[in-house]
Amino acid sequence: MQSIVPLPLQPAQWEALQAAYAQPPRAYHHWGHIEAVLQGYAEVAACPGWRQPREVALALLFHDAIYEPGQRDNEARSAELARTTIPRWWPDAGLDIARVAELILLTARHGQLAPADVDADAALMLDCDMAILAAPPAQFDAYDQAIAEEYRGHVPGFLYRINRRRFLRGVLEQPRIFLSDWFHARCDAQARANLRRAIG
């Protein structure tokens, strides 16, 4: 995974990121999720490519670094962590830290955005994060169950089920689930099949 990120990461930095994704214990938003989105990042890098590859990679690395189920400020806190960490780790890299934070904050709006609302890099990055919706059925089901497990003990079960169903239905009803043409062509049909099945 380190070879995918177009910036040097020292072992201690890599370990710090992995540690962040282990707190609190997570069923889905753990380091495995970051490995998956970085694989999507690498596929996009090969074609169609990124305009700001370093900033996008950093946004993906940090986007769920702070994650507490049921809290509304996870993305804002993750963006703030990126703002404070990146200048310390890469002081002379000339990175657009505000852009990294902007991309992280956009992940709070999954299912609410249209292609016209974002630029090409943002669309592709958000789609990397949402690609799990188009996973094979068994993998999608495992993801759906893991999200429920994360919320268990934080949100009453009946309320979680109502809100989760509302979110999935809202995504399904969007004219475009995936904001980029690249992901739309590859993922839309499978994502819609998974969502219909999950909603029941």
Side-chain angles (χ1 to χ4, degrees):
M1 286 293 113
Q2 286 176 312
S3 62
I4 291 175
V5 180
L7 282 162
L9 270 163
Q10 300 302 317
Q13 296 167 337
W14 202 249
E15 290 166 9
L17 282 167
Q18 290 177 312
Y21 282 86
Q23 297 297 326
R26 310 173 186 192
Y28 175 73
H29 290 93
H30 48 52
W31 190 249
H33 169 55
I34 298 307
E35 291 179 337
V37 296
L38 285 178
Q39 187 58 51
Y41 170 91
E43 292 169 5
V44 172
C47 178
W50 300 102
R51 296 177 184 177
Q52 291 181 289
R54 299 186 305 169
E55 284 76 7
V56 173
L58 289 172
L60 289 172
L61 280 174
F62 281 91
H63 80 282
D64 283 326
I66 295 176
Y67 181 80
E68 297 180 23
Q71 298 301 309
R72 296 182 180 274
D73 62 349
N74 289 322
E75 294 83 5
R77 292 168 65 199
S78 294
E80 185 57 31
L81 180 65
R83 285 191 194 98
T84 58
T85 303
I86 291 168
R88 290 190 288 105
W89 285 6
W90 298 281
D92 303 314
L95 294 161
D96 186 347
I97 299 170
R99 173 62 166 165
V100 176
E102 174 192 17
L103 291 169
I104 294 171
L105 291 171
L106 282 173
T107 65
R109 300 174 63 193
H110 279 311
Q112 304 169 23
L113 297 166
D117 297 328
V118 292
D119 59 38
D121 269 5
L124 287 162
M125 189 212 108
L126 291 167
D127 287 350
C128 284
D129 197 25
M130 291 285 272
I132 185 64
L133 298 182
Q139 187 179 348
F140 174 89
D141 291 347
Y143 144 77
D144 203 33
Q145 292 165 9
I147 296 295
E149 183 178 335
E150 287 184 338
Y151 274 84
R152 193 171 294 119
H154 298 275
V155 177
F158 77 93
L159 187 59
Y160 169 80
R161 289 187 291 274
I162 290 170
N163 288 335
R164 181 66 174 166
R165 187 182 179 89
R166 180 182 298 128
F167 170 74
L168 295 178
R169 184 179 297 280
V171 172
L172 180 61
E173 290 174 352
Q174 289 287 328
R176 288 279 293 258
I177 294 174
F178 297 97
L179 303 176
S180 67
D181 290 342
W182 197 78
F183 273 94
H184 175 71
R186 289 160 176 75
C187 299
D188 182 79
Q190 182 61 52
R192 291 187 184 280
N194 284 334
L195 290 169
R196 290 190 191 99
R197 190 166 47 80
I199 292 168

